[in-house]
Short mmCIF file of all heavy atoms in Angstrom, two decimals:
data_model
loop_
_atom_site.label_atom_id
_atom_site.label_comp_id
_atom_site.label_asym_id
_atom_site.label_seq_id
_atom_site.Cartn_x
_atom_site.Cartn_y
_atom_site.Cartn_z
N GLY A 168 -45.64 -2.99 3.94
CA GLY A 168 -47.07 -3.26 4.05
C GLY A 168 -47.44 -4.70 3.75
O GLY A 168 -46.77 -5.40 3.01
N HIS A 169 -48.56 -5.15 4.41
CA HIS A 169 -49.15 -6.47 4.17
C HIS A 169 -48.18 -7.61 4.54
O HIS A 169 -47.26 -7.40 5.32
CB HIS A 169 -49.65 -6.57 2.73
CG HIS A 169 -50.45 -5.36 2.33
ND1 HIS A 169 -51.78 -5.21 2.64
CD2 HIS A 169 -50.08 -4.21 1.71
CE1 HIS A 169 -52.21 -4.03 2.20
NE2 HIS A 169 -51.20 -3.40 1.64
N GLY A 175 -51.92 -7.95 -0.02
CA GLY A 175 -52.03 -6.58 -0.53
C GLY A 175 -52.70 -6.64 -1.88
O GLY A 175 -53.43 -7.59 -2.17
N ASN A 176 -52.45 -5.66 -2.73
CA ASN A 176 -53.12 -5.72 -4.04
C ASN A 176 -52.43 -6.75 -4.94
O ASN A 176 -51.24 -7.02 -4.77
CB ASN A 176 -53.27 -4.31 -4.66
CG ASN A 176 -51.99 -3.80 -5.29
OD1 ASN A 176 -51.47 -4.41 -6.23
ND2 ASN A 176 -51.48 -2.69 -4.78
N GLU A 187 -48.36 -7.12 -4.03
CA GLU A 187 -47.93 -5.91 -3.32
C GLU A 187 -47.01 -6.26 -2.15
O GLU A 187 -45.99 -5.62 -1.92
CB GLU A 187 -49.14 -5.11 -2.82
CG GLU A 187 -48.73 -3.85 -2.04
CD GLU A 187 -49.90 -3.10 -1.41
OE1 GLU A 187 -51.06 -3.56 -1.56
OE2 GLU A 187 -49.65 -2.06 -0.77
N THR A 191 -43.34 -4.54 -1.34
CA THR A 191 -43.11 -3.73 -0.13
C THR A 191 -41.98 -4.30 0.71
O THR A 191 -41.19 -3.56 1.29
CB THR A 191 -44.38 -3.62 0.73
OG1 THR A 191 -44.78 -4.93 1.15
CG2 THR A 191 -45.51 -2.94 -0.01
N ILE A 238 -44.60 1.27 3.88
CA ILE A 238 -44.39 1.21 2.43
C ILE A 238 -45.50 0.41 1.75
O ILE A 238 -45.79 -0.72 2.16
CB ILE A 238 -43.02 0.56 2.12
CG1 ILE A 238 -41.91 1.46 2.68
CG2 ILE A 238 -42.83 0.36 0.63
CD1 ILE A 238 -40.54 0.85 2.54
N HIS A 239 -46.12 1.00 0.73
CA HIS A 239 -47.23 0.34 0.03
C HIS A 239 -47.18 0.60 -1.47
O HIS A 239 -46.40 1.42 -1.94
CB HIS A 239 -48.57 0.86 0.58
CG HIS A 239 -48.86 0.35 1.95
ND1 HIS A 239 -49.66 -0.73 2.20
CD2 HIS A 239 -48.40 0.77 3.16
CE1 HIS A 239 -49.70 -0.96 3.51
NE2 HIS A 239 -48.94 -0.06 4.12
N VAL A 240 -48.04 -0.15 -2.16
CA VAL A 240 -48.21 0.04 -3.61
C VAL A 240 -49.70 0.26 -3.85
O VAL A 240 -50.53 -0.48 -3.34
CB VAL A 240 -47.71 -1.19 -4.40
CG1 VAL A 240 -48.04 -1.03 -5.88
CG2 VAL A 240 -46.23 -1.41 -4.18
N ASN A 241 -50.02 1.27 -4.62
CA ASN A 241 -51.41 1.63 -4.89
C ASN A 241 -52.00 0.77 -6.00
O ASN A 241 -51.26 0.15 -6.77
CB ASN A 241 -51.45 3.10 -5.31
CG ASN A 241 -52.65 3.84 -4.75
OD1 ASN A 241 -53.70 3.23 -4.54
ND2 ASN A 241 -52.49 5.13 -4.53
N MET A 274 -58.71 1.22 1.48
CA MET A 274 -58.11 0.03 0.87
C MET A 274 -57.03 -0.55 1.78
O MET A 274 -56.98 -1.76 2.02
CB MET A 274 -57.51 0.44 -0.48
CG MET A 274 -56.82 -0.66 -1.24
SD MET A 274 -56.20 -0.03 -2.83
CE MET A 274 -54.78 0.93 -2.31
N GLU A 275 -56.16 0.31 2.32
CA GLU A 275 -55.09 -0.19 3.18
C GLU A 275 -55.64 -0.68 4.52
O GLU A 275 -55.11 -1.62 5.10
CB GLU A 275 -54.02 0.88 3.40
CG GLU A 275 -53.35 1.40 2.11
CD GLU A 275 -52.56 0.33 1.36
OE1 GLU A 275 -52.61 -0.86 1.76
OE2 GLU A 275 -51.90 0.68 0.35
N GLU A 351 -47.08 5.48 -0.93
CA GLU A 351 -47.61 4.64 -2.01
C GLU A 351 -46.66 4.85 -3.18
O GLU A 351 -46.65 5.91 -3.81
CB GLU A 351 -49.04 5.06 -2.38
CG GLU A 351 -50.08 4.85 -1.28
CD GLU A 351 -50.57 3.41 -1.15
OE1 GLU A 351 -50.15 2.56 -1.99
OE2 GLU A 351 -51.36 3.13 -0.24
ZN1 LIG B 501 -50.97 -1.62 0.74
#
Side-chain angles (χ1 to χ4, degrees):
H169 313 277
N176 78 60
E187 179 185 1
T191 60
I238 296 175
H239 288 263
V240 174
N241 219 329
M274 178 179 75
E275 301 297 6
E351 295 280 356

